Amino acid sequence: TVPNGGPILLVNLSTNKIVEQLHPPSQPQCPVFSKDGQKLFVAYGAEPGGIAIFDLVGLTNTIVFASNQQDGNFELYRMNEDGSDLHRLSWDKSTEVSPRFDPTGRYLAYISDRPLAATPERKDPHIWIRDFMKGEKRPLVRTNPNGEPTREGITLDWSPDGKTIAFIEGRGNSIRTVNVTTGFTEPLLTIDDVTPLDEDFARFDVFRSLKWEARTNSILFSCRPNSDFFNHCLFQYDVVTRRITTLKPKLDEHAALMSPCLSPQGDQLAVIRQSADEEADTKHLAILDRQNLETLTEANAEDGQAATPCFSPDGQFVYFTAKTGQHRQIFRVPAAGGVAQRITNFEADSIH
């Protein structure tokens, strides 16, 4: 453990490198591994006190993603980081996307259009929570003033303490949080809170992506100006101070940056770079230096159309999806640069 309530560090004794940072509630103490080494139990002193349980297999060795390879609709799957040991996680015959593990690895949040008990005739997208320890799943349903369930967006992420989930609402014009225990929601940002830095942009149109970063307790997001599809802008929202910082003051006229993801070490930023002057609307993976936002390396995969980058827990790889022929597959590339390696090979689409 790190003094003064910092994260718990998992260290590979063979390489002496940190492979994971775990973030239990404050004042963690006395971490103990299970006998099979697949779980870590951590006591914590923050009110009301308790024991946090981390699923180490889920945190360090597996990827959860959505694919339409069997039933035509997107279902959830789990596999090792190299693409081996594939397991199907859902059989609901509903569209289920955007799976995200909580910081402990016990809970999985995702978006599903599975009909609710109150409205069995409707298939609207809602946030669902799956408890891997109890084998249970439940919807996090919000209601409008008329008492009707509301539609959710398709992008979400967990807070570092695992108590809330941030998500983009269905129309993309606001980011909200929902308490996973009480279901209480509150607005975090609206599109009008984000001020364009270029006088040519009257305002921003929609939020395009978000990522809640544990290291900084901030939300990285991108916005699209309503006057220019090819000029997405990146921002960072500090959850504590409620301050919005522009990550790149002004993009050049030939590029758009979107889907930001910070490395576990906090020194690199993975984004998708789209160039308006290239044929076929190509999207590349770009890895930037977090301090000066200069490009360190770029990668592409076969037909291009890269999307949704995500660092591995140790920061050594960046995973992303890209088109290969008619389908979207999952790739990984060393964060230091190199050739992208395809880790799924389905006659179907895979997204994460």
Side-chain angles (χ1 to χ4, degrees), residues 12 15 56 97 123 139 199 215 231 246 291 297 302 313 317 334:
N12 186 320
T15 63
L56 302 183
V97 294
K123 296 188 68 174
E199 60 183 10
R215 186 182 184 91
N231 228 326
T246 304
Q291 295 301 317
T297 183
E302 303 185 22
F317 290 93

Side-chain angles (χ1 to χ4, degrees), residues 180-290:
V180 298
T181 301
T182 66
F184 176 76
T185 66
E186 59 181 334
L188 197 67
L189 284 172
T190 69
I191 201 69
D192 293 329
D193 294 328
V194 187
T195 304
L197 296 178
D198 192 315
E199 60 183 10
D200 294 333
F201 301 155
R203 63 185 296 274
F204 285 108
D205 186 5
V206 293
F207 292 105
R208 299 293 296 178
S209 60
L210 68 81
K211 178 70 175 176
W212 201 326
E213 298 295 345
R215 186 182 184 91
T216 60
N217 194 19
S218 59
I219 295 176
L220 303 176
F221 63 92
S222 60
C223 288
R224 186 187 71 191
N226 61 355
S227 58
D228 189 347
F229 180 81
F230 293 103
N231 228 326
H232 292 65
C233 299
L234 304 182
F235 298 90
Q236 178 174 335
Y237 175 75
D238 189 303
V239 177
V240 177
T241 65
R242 298 183 178 271
R243 178 184 178 186
I244 299 175
T245 303
T246 304
L247 295 184
K248 189 154 186 168
K250 181 179 179 181
L251 305 184
D252 65 77
E253 61 181 358
H254 300 297
L257 300 182
M258 61 196 82
S259 301
C261 181
L262 190 67
S263 67
Q265 294 79 14
D267 58 343
Q268 294 179 333
L269 189 68
V271 298
I272 298 301
R273 183 181 185 277
Q274 180 178 11
S275 183
D277 58 357
E278 293 182 4
E279 295 182 1
D281 203 19
T282 304
K283 300 181 179 70
H284 300 280
L285 168 71
I287 301 177
L288 313 179
D289 182 282
R290 175 61 186 87

